[in-house]
Amino acid sequence: MTSVINVNLPEQSYEIAIAPSSLDQLGQQMASLKLGKKVLLVSNPTIFKHFGERAITSLTSAGFEVASCTLPPGERYKTPNSIQKLYDVALENRLERSSTMVALGGGVIGDMTGFAAATWLRGINVVQVPTSLLAMVDSAIGGKTGVNHPHGKNLIGAFHQPRLVLIDPDVLKTLPMREFRAGMAEVIKYGVIWDAELFAQLEASKRLDQLRYVKPDLIDIILMRSCQAKADVVGKDEKEGGLRAILNYGHTIGHAVESLTGYRLVNHGEAVAIGMVAAGQIAVVLGLWQKEDTERQNALIQKTGLRTQLPDGIDIEAIIETLQLDKKVQAGKVRFILPTEIGVVTITDEVPSDIIRQVLYEM
């Protein structure tokens, strides 16, 4: 499978290139964009061990001068301190405005590299080479970059679109099972908010909890349809003035759960799954969604092996309080994305706190 999806934007459109073994074509692909010769490759030690030398070989063969920097893995290291390290390496290697930072890794590496690129010299090029399913279908696309504040996820950030997103499905073979399942949460999200056909394709699969049980043609469908959905939404609303907010389905409560558990107990995909279960039930209580549809959603989430209940011991009132720090709060009201049917959602800030509380206590 080789596929190219265009993200059409007013100022800087770009391609999402999906192809097996495309990591070895990274340098060639970047050379075609007429970028400056200096490149800073950013990864974490585990990903760099698997793919770093291949990426560097491809880049140097295409004439790029490559420096590299590895950052610790995990959401708890997505902080301004990590960005400072990237700035130091960028300064040491004299990165210029024509230079490029390449993010080789999952969502955490992609977010941090993108933010560093957005702010170094007031903005240099960034290329996203996602290595996790979650990053491939979601975080590497759309230009959202950022780091966490101690009181909330991604409160510090910038919109900075990549020049290219290069997806090599073969790298998923090294992805831990837990991370594969985390990515499936975002795939299910696209089915609920945008693509009923994708949802149906997922339902037809017997198992979705491990890569080895998912047929290669379904992986192709997952990547193409998820990336196309993200590209369609971002193309219509680049900076979340309206429609793009639907991509946060499951994230409102999910981010609060991540933050309150210190980014250690549940990962992003697991938190989004919990958030989708909660949002689905809120929609049912409000009379927006049929009970049968939320049961279909929850069954699909369970098929991936993701949890559908809140972690033991989490403080429900702390979740309610943390929601007020969400980036989507407007005039003190929390915005929720709630489904009305499979493939269709609505955006509302009219969700009473007592209903949120009721749903959470029932989880």
Side-chain angles (χ1 to χ4, degrees):
M1 177 204 70
T2 300
S3 181
V4 175
I5 295 167
N6 293 303
V7 182
N8 296 309
L9 299 171
E11 292 186 13
Q12 185 176 294
S13 297
Y14 55 95
E15 293 182 345
I16 304 166
I18 309 171
S21 301
S22 57
L23 181 59
D24 297 314
Q25 305 302 315
L26 174 62
Q28 184 180 329
Q29 291 264 18
M30 285 177 56
S32 69
L33 298 173
K34 309 291 191 223
L35 305 174
K37 292 300 181 185
K38 291 188 177 184
V39 169
L40 174 57
L41 180 72
V42 184
S43 192
N44 71 41
T46 302
I47 298 300
F48 190 86
K49 182 179 178 181
H50 284 305
F51 307 116
E53 289 306 320
R54 279 178 64 190
I56 290 172
T57 297
S58 179
L59 289 164
T60 54
S61 296
F64 290 102
E65 301 170 16
V66 186
S68 64
C69 178
T70 57
L71 299 171
E75 190 79 30
R76 65 186 180 275
Y77 294 107
K78 202 170 97 174
T79 66
N81 285 340
S82 294
I83 300 299
Q84 182 64 52
K85 182 177 179 181
L86 289 185
Y87 292 153
D88 292 344
V89 177
L91 181 63
E92 181 183 333
N93 288 277
R94 300 294 188 265
L95 261 62
E96 304 162 353
R97 284 187 171 168
S98 63
S99 302
T100 306
M101 292 189 186
V102 174
L104 178 68
V108 171
I109 288 295
D111 282 0
M112 289 196 291
T113 306
F115 183 64
T119 48
W120 184 252
L121 303 180
R122 296 192 177 95
I124 66 172
N125 302 309
V126 64
V127 167
Q128 296 281 354
V129 186
T131 59
S132 71
L133 179 61
L134 192 151
M136 288 178 182
V137 301
D138 192 68
S139 61
I141 306 163
K144 273 190 176 181
T145 74
V147 293
N148 301 328
H149 184 277
H151 294 292
K153 185 178 168 78
N154 292 334
L155 292 178
I156 306 162
F159 285 98
H160 190 58
Q161 298 293 345
R163 297 297 305 276
L164 168 72
V165 179
L166 186 71
I167 296 175
D168 184 345
D170 290 345
V171 306
L172 291 174
K173 294 170 184 173
T174 65
L175 192 66
M177 284 188 293
R178 185 181 181 191
E179 295 300 323
F180 177 77
R181 292 193 293 268
M184 287 304 301
E186 296 284 0
V187 176
I188 293 170
K189 176 194 79 175
Y190 288 118
V192 175
I193 70 171
W194 195 257
D195 190 341
E197 175 59 28
L198 172 60
F199 192 96
Q201 297 254 19
L202 296 172
E203 281 188 309
S205 179
K206 289 185 178 179
R207 290 187 67 169
L208 294 169
D209 57 324
Q210 296 181 40
L211 177 64
R212 61 179 173 154
Y213 296 124
V214 183
K215 294 179 180 178
D217 61 341
L218 181 56
I219 290 294
D220 293 347
I221 289 168
I222 283 170
L223 292 175
M224 287 190 293
R225 295 190 79 108
S226 298
C227 290
Q228 188 66 63
K230 182 75 178 271
D232 288 346
V233 173
V234 171
K236 290 178 171 66
D237 177 17
E238 181 181 359
K239 296 189 176 178
E240 206 167 296
L243 176 68
R244 184 168 176 168
I246 71 171
L247 296 171
N248 292 306
Y249 177 58
H251 289 56
T252 306
I253 287 172
H255 282 171
V257 170
E258 278 187 276
S259 178
L260 290 170
T261 55
Y263 305 106
R264 294 172 184 268
L265 185 61
V266 295
N267 63 30
H268 179 66
E270 291 163 350
V272 168
I274 292 167
M276 288 193 293
V277 171
Q281 187 56 34
I282 288 170
V284 170
V285 173
L286 292 175
L288 298 174
W289 209 23
Q290 297 297 314
K291 186 172 185 292
E292 294 78 11
D293 285 335
T294 195
E295 288 172 349
R296 286 176 65 195
Q297 172 194 258
N298 295 353
L300 193 51
I301 291 170
Q302 289 171 333
K303 190 187 287 189
T304 66
L306 289 163
R307 65 194 303 161
T308 56
Q309 296 179 318
L310 288 170
D312 292 339
I314 195 165
D315 187 338
I316 304 296
E317 295 307 316
I319 294 179
I320 302 292
E321 184 177 335
T322 302
L323 292 179
Q324 290 297 323
L325 298 174
D326 190 90
K327 302 184 301 301
K328 298 175 290 300
V329 168
Q330 291 186 344
K333 292 186 174 182
V334 181
R335 268 197 304 173
F336 275 89
I337 292 79
L338 300 177
T340 56
E341 58 185 274
I342 299 294
V344 182
V345 290
T346 188
I347 304 170
T348 180
D349 59 6
E350 299 298 330
V351 181
S353 293
D354 59 339
I355 288 181
I356 303 171
R357 187 176 285 107
Q358 171 196 328
V359 167
L360 292 175
Y361 272 108
E362 289 173 354
M363 292 177 65

